[in-house]
Amino acid sequence: MKNPRKGRGLTKNPALLIGASIIVLVMLIGVFAPYLSPHDPSQMYPRNRREWPSSQFLLGTDRLGRDILSRMIWGARVSLLIGSLAVGASMVIGLSIGMVSGYYGGLLDEVLMRFMDMIFAFPALLLAMALIAVTGPSVRNIILVTALIGVPRFARILRASVLTLKAQEFVEAARALSKSDFGIMTQHILPNCIAPLTVETSLSIATAIITESALSFLGLGVRPPTPSWGQMIADGRTEVFNAPWIVIFPGLAIMITVLGYNLLGDGLRDALDPRL
């Protein structure tokens, strides 16, 4: 039977509603980019370089005469694709490690958690830069590197939940009924960990988008001519005083998107926390 109080908590939480609205809007922009983009994002208009926002170019043009609005629309698709796939991969790997580590404990737990500590020991951006420098900049490598960085967070969150849940009576009852370890983990423990994992997923996507933007800004991200918000800021950093709109609008896109995911994560945390 559904809990009506939980439904009301979800719909009356302003942070959750605002965050969800922002994310849905950005997703729709990314999905329908070919139809919303007024110009080809790679098309250069030499006579309109560094043009102020106008009726022809609503957000102006960059130093090569490319329409900023069109590039921002296509950049939304790249950022969301990388963020979603990277977090999806890190969640699958992290959940597997956290579940096995917390459920079985002992030496296996020690080995897996020390490996997670090794990844945590490196600053995320520096580790990403080092790995991208070795593997080469591409969308696939950015997804893999960002996923690797996010694995320890999911592993530790699930492990903490498993350590609490595996001693509960319903898990003991499942063991008494001769259920397999895999069945207990997937059917009894994992469903009770959905709330913290949902919140972490939302916040991790925001982190992944920031990581991708930072790598693109440093020249280690998405390669031209594929538009990326971080790459757009990097291209306009020398024009910040002559044509500030080149940097301002992509920066606002990153800020608003990350804010949306953070608000969504905070709203879900408040709505799913039974103590609130």
Side-chain angles (χ1 to χ4, degrees):
M1 184 175 180
K2 293 183 179 180
N3 186 348
R5 292 184 178 180
K6 181 177 289 188
R8 287 197 297 267
L10 289 173
T11 56
K12 291 186 177 182
N13 190 310
L16 190 150
L17 293 177
I18 295 173
S21 300
I22 293 174
I23 299 309
V24 170
L25 177 61
V26 175
M27 285 183 175
L28 290 175
I29 291 174
V31 170
F32 295 102
Y35 308 99
L36 297 175
S37 175
H39 300 276
D40 185 334
S42 300
Q43 178 66 42
M44 292 181 286
Y45 299 89
R47 296 183 178 180
N48 303 101
R49 293 185 300 169
R50 304 180 187 87
E51 183 173 308
W52 280 83
S54 63
S55 58
Q56 182 181 3
F57 303 103
L58 296 180
L59 298 183
T61 60
D62 61 13
R63 61 188 180 86
L64 299 178
R66 296 172 297 188
D67 180 45
I68 291 178
L69 176 59
S70 300
R71 293 180 63 77
M72 285 180 57
I73 291 174
W74 282 90
R77 171 178 288 192
V78 173
S79 295
L80 291 177
L81 175 67
I82 292 177
S84 301
L85 292 180
V87 172
S90 61
M91 180 169 60
V92 171
I93 300 172
L95 294 188
S96 302
I97 295 175
M99 181 68 76
V100 171
S101 178
Y103 188 81
Y104 291 107
L107 179 61
L108 180 62
D109 180 31
E110 286 292 327
V111 172
L112 291 176
M113 287 301 102
R114 296 300 76 77
F115 182 67
M116 295 297 100
D117 289 341
M118 290 173 57
I119 298 178
F120 261 136
F122 292 93
L125 184 57
L126 291 180
L127 179 59
M129 292 170 57
L131 293 176
I132 289 295
V134 173
T135 59
S138 68
V139 173
R140 182 192 63 181
N141 290 340
I142 293 173
I143 292 174
L144 293 176
V145 169
T146 308
L148 176 63
I149 294 172
V151 166
R153 299 172 65 180
F154 284 100
R156 286 197 168 276
I157 288 174
L158 190 63
R159 175 181 177 272
S161 299
V162 172
L163 289 175
T164 302
L165 292 171
K166 73 175 184 179
Q168 298 295 319
E169 293 180 356
F170 66 91
V171 176
E172 295 296 336
R175 289 198 187 99
L177 294 173
S178 301
K179 279 209 168 187
S180 65
D181 290 342
F182 182 78
I184 293 174
M185 288 188 285
T186 56
Q187 297 176 21
H188 298 279
I189 295 179
L190 185 59
N192 288 280
C193 304
I194 295 299
L197 292 176
T198 301
V199 175
E200 181 59 32
T201 298
S202 177
L203 298 177
S204 293
I205 293 178
T207 302
I209 291 175
I210 292 176
T211 302
E212 181 275 325
S213 299
L215 290 173
S216 296
F217 179 81
L218 296 171
L220 297 172
V222 179
R223 308 306 297 168
T226 304
S228 165
W229 291 338
Q231 180 193 97
M232 293 175 66
I233 295 176
D235 290 342
R237 66 182 183 275
T238 59
E239 309 287 339
V240 66
F241 295 110
N242 299 324
W245 58 89
I246 300 177
V247 175
I248 291 175
F249 291 124
L252 286 175
I254 296 173
M255 184 194 73
I256 292 173
T257 303
V258 172
L259 175 64
Y261 276 109
N262 286 333
L263 289 175
L264 180 63
D266 290 341
L268 288 173
R269 180 193 59 198
D270 294 342
L272 298 176
D273 190 341
R275 294 171 297 179
L276 300 177

